[in-house]
Amino acid sequence: MAVQLQMLGTGDAHAKHYYNNNGLVLSPDYTLLIDCGTTAPAAIKAAGRSFLAVDAVLVTHLHDDHAGGLPELSLQLTQTGSRMTLLAAEALDEPLRESFLKNRPDDTRYPRSLDEAFDVKLLKPDIAYVLSAEITVKLIRTPHIRGKDSYSLLLNSNIFYSADIIFQPELLLKLVRKHGVSRIFHECQLTGKGVIHTSLHQLLSLPADIREMISLMHYSDEKPMYEGKTDEMTFLEQQTVYPL
């Protein structure tokens, strides 16, 4: 099996018809979960998979649709006596622990801290980390909410996977034309102006050769209305498995 991507969900924080934008990077010897939002437990069950087959979860930032499912994941791990690697940027360490406690139900079955269920490994931005024979990851700090750290990902040196991100055209051009990125999985706000997200209108302003590399994710329930209106860009579909 070559490396694959399966989006457990492709929806934004308010979507009702799509799970939270969380994805699985699948390889023969390693499975990486990118983000674990509130709907992740239901989404992984709908995909016919199990958290227990995941080797590590990587959190890009601390909004609930990206990290709100960690308490439920931790409960499943402790009930089976399992542990999982949790990857996050150094700057997210304390905020991540605070977020976990905020979202943890007041129930003695749940771990009292991240460390009871996870082996927390902190990553430095702009350094490529080898997770397995077929998966490497580099964090790239990208803007989202002022004063809140958020990190997009460079997978295997040639795939850009955006976190929630304010439009960064210069970064995209640099990644493609100087660093050899050939695929881009990009969040997309379908309606309105991009203020803390990247709007479809903004992505449509990119050169055609860049748009051809982009698959759209983290979209709203209005997605069916925009099919066929994204030029060269395509929509990622939740639960579908894509070769990388």
Side-chain angles (χ1 to χ4, degrees), residues 18-234:
Y18 307 101
Y19 294 113
N20 296 152
N21 196 80
N22 306 159
L24 289 172
V25 180
L26 306 161
S27 75
D29 63 343
Y30 199 89
T31 298
L32 173 68
L33 172 62
I34 301 175
D35 286 327
C36 185
T38 305
T39 67
I44 201 165
K45 182 177 181 180
R49 298 187 182 274
S50 167
F51 280 137
L52 301 181
V54 174
D55 294 285
V57 54
L58 189 157
V59 175
T60 63
H61 65 290
L62 300 183
H63 285 157
D64 284 352
D65 55 325
H66 296 267
L70 288 176
E72 186 63 29
L73 170 54
S74 74
L75 176 62
Q76 292 190 30
L77 292 172
T78 55
Q79 287 177 335
T80 58
S82 304
R83 286 178 66 81
M84 183 185 295
T85 299
L86 191 158
L87 305 170
E90 290 179 329
L92 295 181
D93 186 22
E94 287 305 317
L96 182 59
R97 295 174 188 280
E98 293 170 4
S99 172
F100 178 83
L101 293 177
K102 181 195 75 171
N103 287 307
R104 175 191 177 277
D106 185 17
D107 185 326
T108 57
R109 296 176 303 156
Y110 286 79
R112 293 165 295 179
S113 70
L114 278 178
D115 297 298
E116 289 189 18
F118 300 101
D119 179 14
V120 180
K121 294 186 179 298
L122 302 177
L123 309 181
K124 296 180 183 294
D126 304 317
I127 294 177
Y129 290 87
V130 177
L131 303 184
S132 75
E134 295 185 309
I135 300 175
T136 63
V137 63
K138 179 189 290 188
L139 303 186
I140 302 173
R141 190 170 187 266
T142 48
H144 177 35
I145 301 289
R146 179 175 295 182
K148 303 290 185 181
D149 286 278
S150 183
Y151 296 85
S152 296
L153 310 177
L154 190 61
L155 299 169
N156 291 352
S157 301
N158 67 337
I159 299 168
F160 180 72
Y161 183 107
S162 85
D164 295 1
I165 183 175
I166 297 171
F167 188 41
Q168 299 293 296
E170 296 84 2
L171 174 62
L172 296 176
L173 290 170
K174 180 180 178 182
L175 288 171
V176 171
R177 296 184 174 163
K178 291 188 177 181
H179 298 290
V181 163
S182 58
R183 298 191 71 175
I184 298 170
F185 301 117
H186 207 292
E187 70 125 351
C188 180
Q189 176 183 312
L190 295 174
T191 61
K193 296 181 179 180
V195 178
I196 59 173
H197 294 280
T198 297
S199 72
L200 175 60
H201 177 74
Q202 289 170 322
L203 290 171
L204 287 170
S205 72
L206 291 166
D209 66 310
I210 305 296
R211 296 197 302 265
E212 288 175 351
M213 301 178 185
I214 295 177
S215 297
L216 305 173
M217 61 184 188
H218 200 277
Y219 43 73
S220 63
D221 287 336
E222 288 82 6
K223 179 251 192 182
M225 299 168 52
Y226 286 85
E227 292 174 353
K229 300 178 181 179
T230 60
D231 286 356
E232 298 85 354
M233 299 180 291
T234 58

